[in-house]
Amino acid sequence: MEIVTTILSISLISVALAILIILAERLLNNYGDCQIDINGGARQMTAKGGSSLLSTLAGQGIFVPSACGGKATCGLCKVQVLDGAGPLLPTEEPYLSADERQKGFRLSCQVKVKQNIKILIPEELFNIREFKTRIAKIETLTHDIKGLRLDLQEPDRIRFKAGQYVQLYTKPYGKVRESVFRAYSMASVPSDDRSVELIVRQVPEGICTTYVHQELKEGDELRISGPSGDFYLRGDCDELVFIAGGSGLAPIRSLILDILEKQLAYKMTFFFGAVTLRDLYYLDFFRDLEKQHENFRFVPALSKPLPDDNWQGETGLITEVVNRFIPDGKNKEAYLCGSPGMINACLNVLQTKGIGPDKIFYDKF
Amino acid sequence: MKQSPEQREIEENLGPGAFSADGFLGSDPRSLADIIRDDQALVKSLGLTHQAIARQLGALTRLGLPGLGTPVPYGDHLEVIVMDYRGIIPCPFRDNVREEKRLTVCRDRLTGDAIRWTDLNVHMIAAHGFYEGRGSPFRVDPAEVQAMLSIQPDPEPENSES
């Protein structure tokens, strides 16, 4: 009898404690409605507290760029918080300079809205929209790269600068229980404003790229937001050097098509590097452009072509090929897109040619 | 055994769909603590340490990096290929470490055998003694690593991490 009483007592205490914890969690974590003041009162909104500033703003139709989906790994979602942010988190520190910390910059994905908050954000963020799209075409470009053409449904038009990116939102699939979003550069030309083209390379075990490569079908609906990014043409030069590898071709294609369409007078050279022929794509597309436009030169290069490739083009690492073709950096700007290793290697070569860091542009994601 | 909230979050991070599509535990029925403990014993039986293994894997990645995806010879019949991707992946162990999404493959040209690892593997081995669960796409098996690379043990024994 004593044992039964003891067990019952412990059970009752446990249940009481559990109820207490649930009640406390509801009371303590209920931040109620919070006021968000943007740009000194230019915009004011009310939102339910408890979520990250990034997702709270997205819920209000303000899409702060982020390439990692709120995991504090890209550092793109910085906003200036004047009041109400709470202490800086260790997860934010690697992405904020001393000057930025002093000015109150924070990663919006790490700031939880718990009280009224005052922030400053660039005006252009108000132009970022969320789009419902339908997948018009999925094309296999290489063994690990797919091209997507998305027809815009609502809104049905997008305005962007060549080189900018959109964020693509996944739906839960397979073992992935939450929606995630990642940034992908647009490969299409801005004048084609009713569609968006993306080029996506499969990252082994990548959540978003696996979704694109294995789950999506033509006709599916897909949510994107954009445009974002400062990788676009500056053009304070006579000659443009473009270097891409893998899916990095996307924004370069958009830039080149836009420049040719607008008949801008730049002399352009596009270096497209890969290991073997199976890693290259759009070869005929760019060779045709080269035939049609005197000011455009296309230099595809393979670092280790296979005998069966019968490759007649340039060989060697892309850095070696750029080194051979570019005599100097006079009046040149360079635009790079590809893997971090390729970008770092090319930065070194371009700087030895005299193209300064202020003339070299690349996306940092 | 009851888990702390931190341990629970780490196991959630290691599961499928959190930081990678299939997660880091694979089909392994063992607990995280058991996986780490068993691999610690295996590494010890090979006369190695986590640090010695991580150091060698990291050195091979650095050797292969300038190849930009092209094989770089190593020793008499091995070659190293490093493929990197855009993006960063955080360590699931909540230690604020972030690694580039980089994959290294070391292949024996004579036998065709290959082992592969990511930059995150190297960090998780060195810092957490974690080689991923059995059946995980990126499990690094210490015995396979040693069979291919013949890593020399550290001159002096290091403190155990277990």
Side-chain angles (χ1 to χ4, degrees), chain A residues 2-200:
Chain A
E2 202 172 303
I3 294 171
V4 174
T5 313
T6 309
I7 291 172
L8 272 174
S9 305
I10 291 171
S11 301
L12 281 171
I13 292 168
S14 302
V15 169
L17 280 173
I19 292 169
L20 199 66
I21 288 168
I22 291 167
L23 285 174
E25 208 167 70
R26 284 199 180 166
L27 288 171
L28 295 176
N29 286 344
N30 183 1
Y31 304 106
D33 287 343
C34 301
Q35 296 290 322
I36 302 173
D37 178 297
I38 302 175
N39 295 356
R43 280 204 187 191
Q44 289 192 322
M45 50 190 64
T46 304
K48 192 166 163 42
S51 298
S52 74
L53 180 58
L54 180 74
S55 58
T56 303
L57 288 172
Q60 301 285 330
I62 296 174
F63 299 96
V64 178
S66 165
C68 68
K71 291 191 182 298
T73 59
C74 71
L76 285 176
C77 65
K78 289 174 193 173
V79 299
Q80 206 171 352
V81 185
L82 304 178
D83 190 31
L88 190 73
L89 300 180
T91 44
E92 300 173 77
E93 288 173 0
Y95 298 101
L96 299 169
S97 66
D99 184 47
E100 285 174 326
R101 287 180 207 188
Q102 209 230 330
K103 288 177 178 164
F105 278 95
R106 303 288 300 268
L107 296 190
S108 61
C109 68
Q110 298 299 295
V111 173
K112 203 169 180 181
V113 178
K114 298 177 179 176
Q115 55 188 312
N116 294 346
I117 191 165
K118 290 183 178 175
I119 63 172
L120 293 178
I121 58 175
E123 286 291 323
E124 59 259 30
L125 292 193
F126 296 126
N127 295 327
I128 299 175
R129 294 277 177 274
E130 187 177 70
F131 295 85
K132 280 183 190 168
T133 77
R134 190 172 294 280
I135 301 173
K137 188 178 181 185
I138 300 179
E139 191 179 4
T140 299
L141 298 174
T142 75
H143 60 102
D144 65 352
I145 296 177
K146 285 193 188 292
L148 268 64
R149 183 172 178 84
L150 313 176
D151 284 347
L152 304 181
Q153 307 281 302
E154 191 187 338
D156 63 356
R157 290 192 175 196
I158 184 169
R159 287 185 64 185
F160 67 98
K161 292 179 185 171
Q164 287 191 300
Y165 65 86
V166 291
Q167 290 176 156
L168 183 157
Y169 298 78
T170 70
K171 290 177 182 169
Y173 71 96
K175 298 170 186 168
V176 181
R177 291 189 297 269
E178 290 180 0
S179 170
V180 300
F181 57 93
R182 298 285 186 272
Y184 295 99
S185 301
M186 287 175 275
S188 40
V189 66
S191 61
D192 178 12
D193 62 356
R194 290 181 183 272
S195 296
V196 161
E197 289 179 24
L198 307 177
I199 294 174
V200 181

Side-chain angles (χ1 to χ4, degrees), chain A residues 98-360:
Chain A
D99 184 47
E100 285 174 326
R101 287 180 207 188
Q102 209 230 330
K103 288 177 178 164
F105 278 95
R106 303 288 300 268
L107 296 190
S108 61
C109 68
Q110 298 299 295
V111 173
K112 203 169 180 181
V113 178
K114 298 177 179 176
Q115 55 188 312
N116 294 346
I117 191 165
K118 290 183 178 175
I119 63 172
L120 293 178
I121 58 175
E123 286 291 323
E124 59 259 30
L125 292 193
F126 296 126
N127 295 327
I128 299 175
R129 294 277 177 274
E130 187 177 70
F131 295 85
K132 280 183 190 168
T133 77
R134 190 172 294 280
I135 301 173
K137 188 178 181 185
I138 300 179
E139 191 179 4
T140 299
L141 298 174
T142 75
H143 60 102
D144 65 352
I145 296 177
K146 285 193 188 292
L148 268 64
R149 183 172 178 84
L150 313 176
D151 284 347
L152 304 181
Q153 307 281 302
E154 191 187 338
D156 63 356
R157 290 192 175 196
I158 184 169
R159 287 185 64 185
F160 67 98
K161 292 179 185 171
Q164 287 191 300
Y165 65 86
V166 291
Q167 290 176 156
L168 183 157
Y169 298 78
T170 70
K171 290 177 182 169
Y173 71 96
K175 298 170 186 168
V176 181
R177 291 189 297 269
E178 290 180 0
S179 170
V180 300
F181 57 93
R182 298 285 186 272
Y184 295 99
S185 301
M186 287 175 275
S188 40
V189 66
S191 61
D192 178 12
D193 62 356
R194 290 181 183 272
S195 296
V196 161
E197 289 179 24
L198 307 177
I199 294 174
V200 181
R201 183 185 181 198
Q202 169 80 66
V203 176
E205 285 297 295
I207 293 175
C208 196
T209 61
T210 301
Y211 177 74
V212 170
H213 275 250
Q214 295 180 13
E215 299 292 321
L216 289 180
K217 307 181 299 293
E218 289 177 1
D220 283 353
E221 284 188 352
L222 193 62
R223 195 159 59 96
I224 62 171
S225 67
S228 305
D230 55 8
F231 183 69
Y232 48 77
L233 181 70
R234 300 328 193 260
D236 185 20
C237 61
D238 297 329
E239 193 171 341
L240 300 168
V241 177
F242 297 104
I243 309 173
S247 58
L249 177 140
I252 304 294
R253 180 178 184 263
S254 181
L255 282 162
I256 290 168
L257 290 177
D258 191 44
I259 290 165
L260 293 175
E261 192 177 84
K262 291 174 177 164
Q263 300 185 334
L264 303 179
Y266 300 107
K267 190 178 170 190
M268 294 184 281
T269 306
F270 174 26
F271 298 93
F272 186 31
V275 178
T276 65
L277 189 59
R278 76 172 192 150
D279 304 309
L280 286 181
Y281 58 101
Y282 280 157
L283 277 180
D284 291 341
F285 178 87
F286 283 104
R287 282 175 176 153
D288 285 347
L289 279 186
E290 190 179 33
K291 283 179 196 159
Q292 293 161 24
H293 301 275
E294 274 185 4
N295 61 331
F296 175 63
R297 179 170 55 169
F298 179 45
V299 185
L302 296 181
S303 57
K304 200 172 175 62
L306 299 171
D308 287 349
D309 288 345
N310 294 316
W311 180 247
Q312 305 296 315
E314 292 297 319
T315 57
L317 294 178
I318 195 66
T319 46
E320 297 165 351
V321 178
V322 170
N323 191 38
R324 287 202 294 269
F325 273 71
I326 302 291
D328 56 58
K330 197 177 170 191
N331 287 323
K332 292 183 180 69
E333 285 181 358
Y335 294 79
L336 322 181
C337 194
S339 65
M342 186 213 83
I343 287 180
N344 288 335
C346 289
L347 286 175
N348 292 333
V349 174
L350 293 169
Q351 288 182 18
T352 60
K353 294 288 179 182
I355 304 181
D358 60 327
K359 297 285 184 185
I360 304 175

Side-chain angles (χ1 to χ4, degrees), chain A residues 72 91 95 205 303 339 341 365, chain B residues 18 21-22 67 70 84 86 96 98:
Chain A
T91 44
Y95 298 101
E205 285 297 295
S303 57
S339 65
F365 64 82
Chain B
D22 281 324
T70 306
D84 60 349
R86 300 172 77 184
N96 287 331
R98 299 162 176 79

